[in-house]
């Protein structure tokens, strides 16, 4: 009966892996001499996975256990430091963590499997097992097998897309009102403004000082009787006074109180959408202007019973 010669099986792991890779290569020796290989260096970095070691399991093709051994990851990467592995099947610019196990076996048929392990010696949650069945080991030659264990990323990457936008505050172009009045008069104030970015505008008029008002400022239209374009302080508008255009205006009416000096502040804010609502771009994105209104004493020293507002 023919005696079976002893040969070596070199099994190497990539830490990217899939379940069976059809890659079996005979060693380079044709002289009958026994080829040798093997790396015994340790490596404790696990990349993006929990793998620290590799368990190698070898059985005969009839299912008889032959070997079960655990090896640490190496302190170099394939194929970056090993030219022989470039383009077979890994790209020359790639670098993969791996472990290596070299053993001597009788000539025959074997099933080979690798099981990635974590630092506790448990099966990896990130990287799959890989195997190859019916590996032929021949007399006097080394059969080299590369098994690739596919690993899942522990976390998916997202993306950030940042758009830088410049916003300019509104500009007040004019404020039209009657500066000199009589106590208890009704006064109309119209504010003309525009926004350099074309944002919608919101107008506000508030009293800053002076005697109490008989009625607070309220928004009103311009009361343009001819139905044509509205002209306010030399600025012509075709519509609205709604405070939502590139160039716009808003008028207010208020009733002065007793005689005295009044100060008012007109403010214009540019607006943006926040869901279904419009909100100011920010407290600082505004234009403001303060101005005085004076009220003198009436002829009878009191408010007229039917005081008419001053015309604009």
């Amino acid at each position: 009966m023919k005696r079976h010669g002893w040969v070596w099986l070199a099994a190497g792991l990539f830490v990217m892996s899939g379940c069976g890779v059809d890659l079996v290569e005979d060693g380079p020796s044709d002289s009958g001499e026994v080829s040798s290989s093997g790396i015994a260096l340790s490596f404790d970095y696990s990349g993006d996975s929990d793998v620290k070691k590799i368990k190698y399991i070898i059985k005969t093709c009839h299912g008889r256990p032959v070997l079960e051994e655990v090896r640490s990851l190496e302190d170099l990467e394939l194929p970056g430091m090993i030219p022989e592995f470039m383009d077979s099947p890994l790209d020359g610019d790639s670098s993969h963590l791996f472990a290596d196990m070299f053993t001597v076996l009788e000539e025959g048929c074997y099933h080979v499997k690798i099981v990635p392990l974590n630092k506790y010696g448990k099966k990896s949650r990130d990287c799959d097992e890989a195997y190859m069945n019916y590996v032929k080991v021949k007399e006097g030659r080394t059969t080299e097998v590369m098994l690739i264990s596919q690993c899942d990323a522990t976390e998916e990457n997202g993306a950030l897309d940042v758009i830088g936008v410049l916003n300019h505050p509104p500009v007040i172009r004019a404020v039209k009102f009657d500066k000199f009045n009589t106590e208890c008069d009704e006064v109309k104030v119209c504010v003309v403004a525009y926004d350099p970015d074309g944002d919608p505008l919101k107008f506000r008029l508030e009293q800053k000082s002076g005697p109490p008002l008989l009625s607070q400022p309220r928004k009103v239209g311009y009361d343009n009787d001819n139905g044509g374009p509205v002209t306010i302080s030399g600025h012509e508008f075709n519509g609205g006074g709604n405070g939502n255009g590139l160039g716009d205006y808003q008028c207010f009416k208020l009733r002065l109180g007793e005689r005295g000096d009044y100060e008012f502040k007109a403010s214009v804010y540019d607006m943006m959408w926040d869901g279904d609502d419009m909100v100011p771009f920010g407290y600082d994105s505004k234009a403001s202007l303060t101005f005085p209104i004076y009220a003198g004493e009436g002829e009878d020293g009191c408010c007229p019973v039917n005081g008419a507002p001053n015309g604009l």
Side-chain angles (χ1 to χ4, degrees), residues 109-175:
C109 176
Y110 296 92
H111 298 329
V112 184
K113 181 168 72 172
I114 58 171
V115 182
L117 305 177
N118 61 23
K119 64 181 179 179
Y120 304 107
K122 303 296 184 180
K123 184 178 177 180
S124 168
R125 295 183 178 181
D126 300 328
C127 301
D128 297 331
E129 297 179 354
Y131 66 89
M132 182 175 291
N133 292 332
Y134 305 104
V135 177
K136 301 296 184 180
V137 173
K138 300 178 181 179
E139 181 179 356
R141 304 184 71 176
T142 296
T143 300
E144 188 171 70
V145 177
M146 180 182 291
L147 301 181
I148 300 179
S149 168
Q150 180 62 47
C151 299
D152 296 326
T154 54
E155 291 183 359
E156 292 289 343
N157 287 333
L160 180 64
D161 184 6
V162 181
I163 301 173
V165 177
L166 301 181
N167 180 61
H168 301 86
V171 177
I172 294 177
R173 301 174 69 179
V175 178

Side-chain angles (χ1 to χ4, degrees), residues 1-7 106-108 137-140:
M1 179 180 293
K2 182 178 182 293
R3 293 182 59 186
H4 293 289
W6 289 88
V7 296
E106 290 184 340
E107 182 181 37
V137 173
K138 300 178 181 179
E139 181 179 356

Side-chain angles (χ1 to χ4, degrees), residues 252-302:
F252 301 84
K253 279 187 178 181
L254 58 94
R255 187 174 290 278
L256 301 173
E258 63 184 33
R259 66 187 179 90
D261 300 337
Y262 297 79
E263 186 179 55
F264 293 89
K265 180 180 180 181
S267 299
V268 184
Y269 301 84
D270 54 344
M271 309 292 287
M272 65 178 178
W273 286 102
D274 182 11
D276 295 331
D277 301 319
M278 295 201 74
V279 298
F281 266 91
Y283 180 79
D284 294 330
S285 189
K286 66 179 180 179
S288 298
L289 183 67
T290 59
F291 55 91
I293 293 179
Y294 302 107
E297 186 175 338
E299 293 182 0
D300 56 1
C302 63

Side-chain angles (χ1 to χ4, degrees), residues 19 34 70 119 254 308:
C19 234
V34 176
V70 175
K119 64 181 179 179
L254 58 94

